[in-house]
Amino acid sequence: MNDLQDHVLVSLRRIIRATDLYSRKLGKRTGLTTPQLVVIQAIGALRDPTVSDVAKAVSLSLATVTTILNRLEANGLVHRERSAVDR
């Protein structure tokens, strides 16, 4: 590898490490994971979102967001209602 590639890889590793440390700090402070916090933020920013809307907003799969929402709902942090016009 050349010097530029080495520099990019080291920089990416630093970013990943900093993100991991910040995520752990947030988890200790809030009791929530970073994806849970991101989903809660998306719900707050969207108006009456569907699970699909949230998944698109946070760039996660529908299945992943559904799992996150199930946990948030079980902890009393979100409330979901089935749409009258949805299947």
Side-chain angles (χ1 to χ4, degrees), residues 6-40:
D6 289 341
H7 180 71
V8 168
L9 288 175
V10 169
S11 295
L12 284 172
R13 180 64 193 124
R14 286 181 181 155
I15 291 168
I16 291 167
R17 177 77 175 137
T19 302
D20 184 48
L21 291 173
Y22 184 70
S23 179
R24 287 181 194 191
K25 187 177 181 178
L26 272 176
K28 285 181 181 179
R29 202 169 358 158
T30 65
L32 299 170
T33 65
T34 300
Q36 289 172 330
L37 288 168
V38 169
V39 166
I40 288 172

Side-chain angles (χ1 to χ4, degrees), residues 7-80:
H7 180 71
V8 168
L9 288 175
V10 169
S11 295
L12 284 172
R13 180 64 193 124
R14 286 181 181 155
I15 291 168
I16 291 167
R17 177 77 175 137
T19 302
D20 184 48
L21 291 173
Y22 184 70
S23 179
R24 287 181 194 191
K25 187 177 181 178
L26 272 176
K28 285 181 181 179
R29 202 169 358 158
T30 65
L32 299 170
T33 65
T34 300
Q36 289 172 330
L37 288 168
V38 169
V39 166
I40 288 172
Q41 286 180 327
I43 292 168
L46 300 168
R47 187 165 181 257
D48 295 325
T50 64
V51 177
S52 181
D53 293 336
V54 175
K56 287 176 189 170
V58 298
S59 299
L60 291 172
S61 74
L62 194 59
T64 300
V65 171
T66 298
T67 300
I68 291 169
L69 288 171
N70 288 342
R71 287 190 182 136
L72 291 172
E73 188 173 35
N75 291 330
L77 297 171
V78 298
H79 174 75
R80 291 188 283 181

